Amino acid sequence: MLTVENLKEFGANVEEGIARCMGLNDFYLKLVNMAVADEQLNVLEDALAKKDLNAAFEVAHALKGMYGNISLTPIYKPLSEMTELLRSRTDTDYSALLAEAKKQKKILEELAL
């Protein structure tokens, strides 16, 4: 079960996230749970596999915003780096950044159990 405490241990900037949620802990945790259920990392992975850098940028940018707004820093960081590379449509190997984002999301999913 997600708690403010285990999200802090995960590396989320919980205070910042809660502040963006008007100080409402329950609302913040609801948004984090919605992020846990989100499957867009798979869509990003597919776009990258197809070398569709335009689609990959759109998905990465949306994910960066979602994870950034709720201050889930461990997932936000690799997505932020990926977004900036994709913004310029850099044709590179994104596998390490994607793997890190997926690894951190898996940790988050395990916290939510």
Side-chain angles (χ1 to χ4, degrees):
M1 182 170 127
L2 287 175
T3 65
V4 168
E5 291 75 27
N6 66 15
L7 286 169
K8 284 181 184 179
E9 290 173 14
F10 171 66
N13 186 338
V14 174
E15 291 81 12
E16 182 180 87
I18 291 172
R20 286 192 179 121
C21 294
M22 302 166 288
L24 302 172
N25 287 19
D26 289 344
F27 181 53
Y28 175 70
L29 291 172
K30 179 180 179 180
L31 293 177
V32 173
N33 277 300
M34 290 172 69
V36 168
D38 186 84
E39 296 292 329
Q40 290 298 301
L41 277 175
N42 295 327
V43 175
L44 176 58
E45 185 173 31
D46 289 344
L48 290 170
K50 294 175 185 173
K51 295 216 177 262
D52 185 346
L53 300 182
N54 290 324
F57 170 73
E58 294 299 326
V59 176
H61 189 260
L63 287 170
K64 173 188 163 195
M66 177 180 69
Y67 289 114
N69 281 331
I70 53 177
S71 302
L72 295 177
T73 309
I75 306 171
Y76 170 81
K77 282 184 178 181
L79 287 169
S80 181
E81 189 175 336
M82 189 182 304
T83 299
E84 293 315 307
L85 290 167
L86 286 165
R87 185 181 307 281
S88 62
R89 306 310 189 259
T90 303
D91 187 13
T92 190
D93 182 4
Y94 291 95
S95 60
L97 291 169
L98 181 63
E100 181 61 21
K102 289 182 83 170
K103 173 185 153 192
Q104 294 302 324
K105 180 155 188 279
K106 183 166 180 58
I107 293 168
L108 181 65
E109 290 168 348
E110 290 169 1
L111 291 175
L113 296 177

